[in-house]
Amino acid sequence: MRLLVLGGIRSGKSEVAEALVAGAGRVRYLATAAEGVGDDGWAARIAAHRTRRPDTWQTEELGTAPDRLAELLTGAKAEDTILVDDLGGWLTALYDGTGDWSDPAAADGPVGALADAVRGCGAGLLVIVGTEVGLTLLPITQAGRTFTDANGRLNQRIAAACDGVAMVVAGEVSWLRGGAAVGHAGGRVAAAEQAPAERVPAAAPPEPFVFEAAGAGSVLSTADSGDTLSFSPGMELPLPDESTAHEATERLLTLGLNGAGLGGLVPVVRFAGGVQGRADPRPFQQPRVLVLRGDRTGGFAAGDSAAAADRRLQEVVEGTATIAMLAATAGASVQAIDCPDAGPAELHDALDDGAVDAALTLGWRLADAAANEGVDLLVLAACGAGSDAAAAAVVAVLTGAEPPALLGRVVDASGFVDDAAWIRKIGAVRDARHRIRDRSREPHVMLSMVGGGDIAVATGVLLGAASRRLPVMIDGPVGVAAGLVARDYGAQTRHWLLMPDHGDNPTVKLAADVLGAAPFLQLRLALGEGATALTALPLVNTALTIAAATPQREAPAPEDADIESEIQRVVADSPTAEMPYVKPSWED
């Protein structure tokens, strides 16, 4: 279990963290602060911390070697209990080591490496203390501003890698996420409140709408993807368990339901049975929405703009967008991703090969990180300028459909239909298709020619999700276009896709038919990609709750079965059983 305890100066955060590990007996205490030369006050603080530690704890002073922290966490064993105090000292040592306090982004590389180390840490319990300085006034010095910005980015990345996050104010603990897993719902934690010796190694379900994005401006980008991975057609990916999918469907026939059954929701139970590998699939407890924003220039973006996309993404970050409200209702966390922008595909390729590789890598690692954090369902959403035209171009090239049959009417910000913009979009898609008519349809080339950043990231998400047996809900153009491209990398990906409704979008309808992703609803919502899936998710979970919790019917008593068999025999032997049909006079 990985826990992050945040708090301001003298908030009591260290005492809370120490109480969480106190029941473990032997603790590895990783102290990040360097000795303050000539600073008696700082030396007194360090001495107080040392005095408070039990003799059974093993202290390791990192001081001026902040790089060692990631190495120690990576090498931790399951029997280890580790307390890191604190992230602020680690960040200070990092900047002091370079001597340059001018750039908050300079720490992004080491921060990313530390976040990966936290996420992959094998310790039985890892508690990290972090300093929260974002609630105060903006510092007047350059070094102060750099530390404040970098510290905020650091806290976001580490929080996203942890199973639980607590905030300590005036000694009072408020669990932002995962408090139930450690037995603390909130309030003051005294030293006597020792953590239990046996811990549940699973994160509690998130609070409705926990925004967990990380990186600059609380939005992830390809800068967070790390080393580039390699993708090629013919990937071997797992398939859902067809036997448990069948068993889940058959089990519905044995339930004591007050009615004929689940009707159009039976395919949902079958899908969940396959992806969860159980005949009694359970509701999805930790869904996550990935909101992809990748803009285009040229005719693909006619009737839209990067400024409008900025506004849509900012509303997601602030929690005021429709998608955020629906996520809160469905109990889903939200992550925003800023994908590479694409050039005018009617004139030249939308992305270069390097950008495609980085986008695919980011998508794969987003899915991988989600699986590591206990997410059991992903929902793809998109808000980029021109994404509908790019998706239509992908579908048109891969299926041979005509662009006018794939693109719906363009509606401007004031709610009016913009036919001129629609014509420009159609022309751009046709020109792009004509430009690439003699080139390969290999998936990597498709993403480069017309796909763009958001479709490339979405493709990586689908591939990574399939590799981790993680189902994905799709309902819009970017999702289905990525589904077609991902299918050409690994055909198994389409079996992990659940589509609630195509919303009468012609691009989505055609691509879903090609993918074999039959929708189970007809809501016809037009609230942005991802909204239909989130609207349907509570209904999906309701169906799974009924399927899992409804008792099975009792088998008929032997005497009742004998009576039923006798009735069937008598009816079969009755002279009227084979009487010819006599046509009534009114049928003449």
Side-chain angles (χ1 to χ4, degrees), residues 325-374:
M325 301 176 197
L326 291 171
T329 302
S333 61
V334 180
Q335 216 168 27
I337 299 94
D338 203 358
C339 307
D341 290 338
E346 65 270 31
L347 301 178
H348 54 73
D349 285 358
L351 295 175
D352 60 36
D353 288 342
V356 173
D357 289 335
L360 287 169
T361 300
L362 174 59
W364 178 283
R365 288 190 167 141
L366 285 169
D368 189 55
N372 289 340
E373 294 165 28

Side-chain angles (χ1 to χ4, degrees), residues 192-246:
E193 294 182 338
Q194 298 180 353
E198 296 184 1
R199 304 175 184 85
V200 180
E207 296 292 328
F209 192 69
V210 178
F211 193 80
E212 299 178 359
S218 299
V219 180
L220 286 170
S221 70
T222 50
D224 302 283
S225 61
D227 294 337
T228 302
L229 303 176
S230 177
F231 298 85
S232 59
M235 297 176 67
E236 291 294 332
L237 299 169
L239 283 167
D241 191 329
E242 182 60 29
S243 62
T244 55
H246 176 74

Side-chain angles (χ1 to χ4, degrees), residues 500-586:
D501 186 13
H502 51 55
D504 265 352
N505 183 297
T507 299
V508 180
K509 289 173 71 172
L510 176 59
D513 184 56
V514 173
L515 287 169
F520 56 88
L521 294 174
Q522 291 186 0
L523 299 177
R524 299 184 180 181
L525 295 181
L527 299 174
E529 185 159 355
T532 299
L534 287 172
T535 301
L537 183 52
L539 182 60
V540 168
N541 278 341
T542 297
L544 296 177
T545 299
I546 293 172
T550 302
Q552 294 179 287
R553 289 193 302 268
E554 294 183 3
E559 58 270 19
D560 294 338
D562 294 341
I563 294 172
E564 180 66 22
S565 299
E566 182 64 18
I567 292 173
Q568 293 177 359
R569 185 189 66 76
V570 171
V571 171
D573 294 342
S574 172
T576 61
E578 297 181 4
M579 288 180 62
Y581 173 72
V582 178
K583 183 170 66 174
S585 58
W586 63 78

